Amino acid sequence: MAAGTPPEIVAKLNADIARVMKQPDVCDKLTGIGAEPVGNSREEFARFWKAEIDKYARLIKISGAVAE
């Protein structure tokens, strides 16, 4: 979401996307390609994203991988 997007617009988009993610045809399509459909709140997504960043940062550090 672009910085400065009005909160009411963000809330509406989040609600609409969460509703769509719960539709059976959307769930079927996403699970069919190996995705896990989730329609959660912005706060829940932010927590998930932070945990993923932390997890992969640890893995990269442990592996010693570097970008060239």
Side-chain angles (χ1 to χ4, degrees), residues 2-68:
T5 302
E8 61 275 5
I9 300 297
V10 173
K12 174 150 180 29
L13 284 170
N14 180 256
D16 290 346
I17 291 167
R19 181 179 44 75
V20 168
M21 296 299 284
K22 293 177 182 163
Q23 294 178 359
D25 59 326
V26 173
C27 287
D28 291 346
K29 187 72 156 182
L30 290 171
T31 55
I33 61 169
E36 183 179 338
V38 177
N40 55 13
S41 71
R42 290 180 58 212
E43 296 78 18
E44 289 168 320
F45 181 74
R47 283 191 298 273
F48 167 78
W49 194 245
K50 180 173 180 346
E52 289 293 291
I53 290 170
D54 292 345
K55 175 174 68 176
Y56 287 103
R58 283 192 306 274
L59 289 173
I60 291 166
K61 184 175 182 180
I62 290 167
S63 76
V66 293
E68 292 184 16

